[in-house]
Amino acid sequence: MDMTDATERLEAQGVVGEDELRAGTRVRLRPHQRADIVDLMLADRTAEVDRVEEGTDGRRYVVVVLDYDPARDLGPMCRIGRRFFFEPEELEPLRPTGAVSGGRILVASVGDAFRVDGVFGRAVVERLRQGGCPPGVHLAEFGIRTLDLEQALPCYDKAILLQVAACGNRPGGLSVRETDLGRMVGERLDITVTCEPAAHGVHGELSPPAAVAVDHAVRLVQSLVTDLLSWHGDAVGS
């Protein structure tokens, strides 16, 4: 059995007692006393399960990302952020306690960064990284790598895509619409936040109107995230 097959099987069957451990599960870290100093320093921290893997020794390992870890998310060129490996017995699954529990949302910049105002989405993602996002919200920069985006989208309940495109608005104007990504995620509608580019500017840099739009877009995305997580929590609790 290869690693992919083992991961799919374990994600479907991995349990601690009667609690499922799968992508998105919130947990509290309870490392064994025999663990190394790094793991012991993480005792009682909360985290989110990224995936479950089977090692070459045949044992199961749960890969987690820490809540509020600035190195947790996908970075430039979709590099994977910081992950930690624990045995299932070292994790205490947490029950959802509020409306913002359980959702998995991707906020990602897309499009050609070398066009006028093309770095708008990247600037918004960088600002969101500085301010922090709730657990379950992952930040990424995909640019023109549509294949990587297609592979990532099914891992999330919802996506907010940031792009630059001419929509007939004034330069720096923002528009929000639901987007049918078709074969990427079936019938699900995701959200696209689009910034109107300036007619002229330096490629790879922000024009003054787009720079102002970044501030508005950050607040807009934060509001959308809050609404989406609240909706997901209400749907799970109903």
Side-chain angles (χ1 to χ4, degrees):
M1 177 180 296
D2 62 24
M3 179 65 77
T4 301
D5 291 338
T7 301
E8 291 177 351
R9 176 175 63 82
L10 292 170
E11 286 182 346
Q13 300 178 357
V15 296
V16 174
E18 297 181 356
D19 296 295
E20 295 182 345
L21 285 179
R22 62 179 71 246
T25 300
R26 300 289 314 295
V27 295
R28 189 176 302 279
L29 307 181
R30 305 292 193 189
H32 298 311
Q33 289 302 312
R34 66 176 181 276
D36 62 34
I37 186 62
V38 174
D39 287 351
L40 291 175
M41 290 177 61
L42 298 178
D44 295 325
R45 291 283 299 272
T46 56
E48 177 185 331
V49 174
D50 182 68
R51 62 187 182 275
V52 182
E53 293 186 353
E54 185 174 282
T56 56
D57 56 1
R59 299 170 62 182
R60 290 187 301 159
Y61 295 93
V62 183
V63 186
V64 304
V65 290
L66 298 177
D67 289 347
Y68 308 109
D69 182 355
R72 57 170 287 160
D73 290 306
L74 301 175
M77 300 302 292
C78 205
R79 291 193 297 269
I80 297 298
R82 183 159 52 196
R83 301 292 187 265
F84 296 90
F85 289 74
F86 286 88
E87 297 179 24
E89 295 77 14
E90 297 179 291
L91 304 177
E92 174 190 339
L94 300 176
R95 300 298 186 184
T97 56
V100 296
S101 299
R104 287 171 62 82
I105 297 174
L106 173 67
V107 178
S109 65
V110 298
D112 185 0
F114 292 99
R115 60 174 296 181
V116 174
D117 289 330
V119 295
F120 163 78
R122 177 184 298 173
V124 175
V125 167
E126 289 177 352
R127 283 280 302 280
L128 289 169
R129 284 198 179 105
Q130 295 171 7
C133 284
V137 178
H138 293 179
L139 304 170
E141 300 169 26
F142 287 98
I144 60 174
R145 293 175 297 108
T146 55
L147 180 59
D148 288 343
L149 177 62
E150 289 183 18
Q151 294 175 340
L153 283 172
C155 300
Y156 299 90
D157 298 306
K158 203 76 169 179
I160 301 174
L161 305 182
L162 303 161
Q163 65 175 10
V164 170
C167 299
N169 297 326
R170 59 177 173 77
L174 298 177
S175 58
V176 181
R177 64 184 177 90
E178 290 190 309
T179 305
D180 182 1
L181 296 175
R183 62 190 179 88
M184 295 187 189
V185 286
E187 299 179 357
R188 187 182 81 194
L189 291 177
D190 289 302
I191 297 173
T192 301
V193 177
T194 303
C195 177
E196 185 80 16
H200 305 284
V202 179
H203 290 240
E205 296 183 7
L206 288 174
S207 65
V212 173
V214 169
D215 292 332
H216 297 303
V218 168
R219 292 192 292 270
L220 174 60
V221 170
Q222 290 171 333
S223 177
L224 290 170
V225 163
T226 298
D227 290 344
L228 289 172
L229 289 175
S230 296
W231 176 86
H232 185 276
D234 291 341
V236 170
S238 61

